[in-house]
Amino acid sequence: MADAEVEQSQGFLHELFTSPLNLSLLCLCIFLVYKIVRGDRPPSSDEDGEPPLPKMKKRDFTLAELQEYDGEKNPRILIAVRGKVFDVTRGKTFYGPGGPYGIFAGRDASRGLATFCLDKESLKDEYDDLSDLNSMQQDSLSEWEMQFEQKYYYVGKLLKPGEDPTEYTDEEDAKDTKNLKKED
């Protein structure tokens, strides 16, 4: 009986390792198990070996102030979506110089994201109230906003002309950091 079990297991292994299809499926299964076990943990530092920047204190920005955070003038990359400013530095391969969404770095990206337009002409240099967007574009922008809220740190709001900045407390910063860590 033991000999039959040994022959059966050897037959199984022989079948598994001699068929290219079975080998491919085995590799796929091992890869999927690895991804499940490893999860989507963020790397401890950026891909190019630079340590991550410290978390930015909350503050509000004018359009001119926001332009300083484009990944070139300042290593930090900020993007405004529907009046909320997010630190997207950890996504610099997408939003940094040369990235597919690099046009939005240091700018209000709302109109471009809503209209799926990556042209510089779609971005305005003055405050944009987005009142001319249709309902489909508004829905699309809401989805983008939710993605940014889930993935990146909220660092303040984009000020309308003549609007006074909000005074943020250290307690609010600590609470936001704790909430984002729970989601990670």
Side-chain angles (χ1 to χ4, degrees), residues 2-178:
D3 290 335
E5 287 179 12
V6 170
E7 283 181 26
Q8 189 177 13
S9 66
Q10 286 177 345
F12 171 75
L13 291 176
H14 178 72
E15 181 71 26
L16 183 64
F17 290 115
T18 56
S19 167
L21 178 62
N22 287 344
L23 276 174
S24 299
L25 290 173
L26 177 66
C27 290
L28 178 65
C29 288
I30 290 170
F31 174 75
L32 290 174
V33 167
Y34 169 77
K35 290 298 275 184
I36 290 169
V37 170
R38 182 182 160 270
D40 286 335
R41 285 182 238 144
S44 58
S45 64
D46 290 341
E47 303 86 44
D48 48 356
E50 297 174 14
L53 295 172
K55 186 175 180 301
M56 186 176 199
K57 284 193 168 273
K58 270 192 181 179
R59 60 171 278 223
D60 294 340
F61 298 86
T62 63
L63 278 171
E65 292 170 335
L66 187 62
Q67 289 176 353
E68 295 296 314
Y69 297 94
D70 63 356
E72 291 178 355
K73 299 173 198 153
N74 187 317
R76 191 174 303 275
I77 304 168
L78 302 182
I79 291 180
V81 178
R82 207 182 245 166
K84 297 177 180 176
V85 180
F86 297 94
D87 184 347
V88 298
T89 305
R90 66 181 182 173
K92 70 180 174 183
T93 54
F94 292 103
Y95 301 106
Y101 297 103
I103 190 81
F104 299 141
R107 315 266 322 239
D108 181 3
S110 302
R111 181 167 297 279
L113 293 172
T115 60
F116 299 106
C117 185
L118 299 175
D119 295 331
K120 201 163 191 132
E121 294 81 41
S122 71
L123 304 173
K124 295 187 175 183
D125 289 326
E126 67 273 346
Y127 184 80
D128 188 358
D129 66 0
L130 307 170
S131 60
D132 60 330
L133 296 179
N134 64 37
S135 64
M136 193 170 85
Q137 292 168 332
Q138 289 284 357
D139 291 343
S140 173
L141 186 55
S142 292
E143 289 177 25
W144 276 104
E145 182 182 12
M146 284 190 310
Q147 284 183 358
F148 276 82
E149 287 172 344
Q150 292 172 356
K151 193 168 186 176
Y152 300 109
Y153 287 114
Y154 169 76
V155 294
K157 67 180 180 180
L158 185 62
L159 296 171
K160 298 174 186 173
E163 185 178 8
D164 292 327
T166 305
E167 293 293 325
Y168 296 100
T169 64
D170 290 338
E171 293 168 3
E172 287 177 285
D173 282 342
K175 184 178 98 176
D176 288 345
T177 301
K178 193 183 295 183

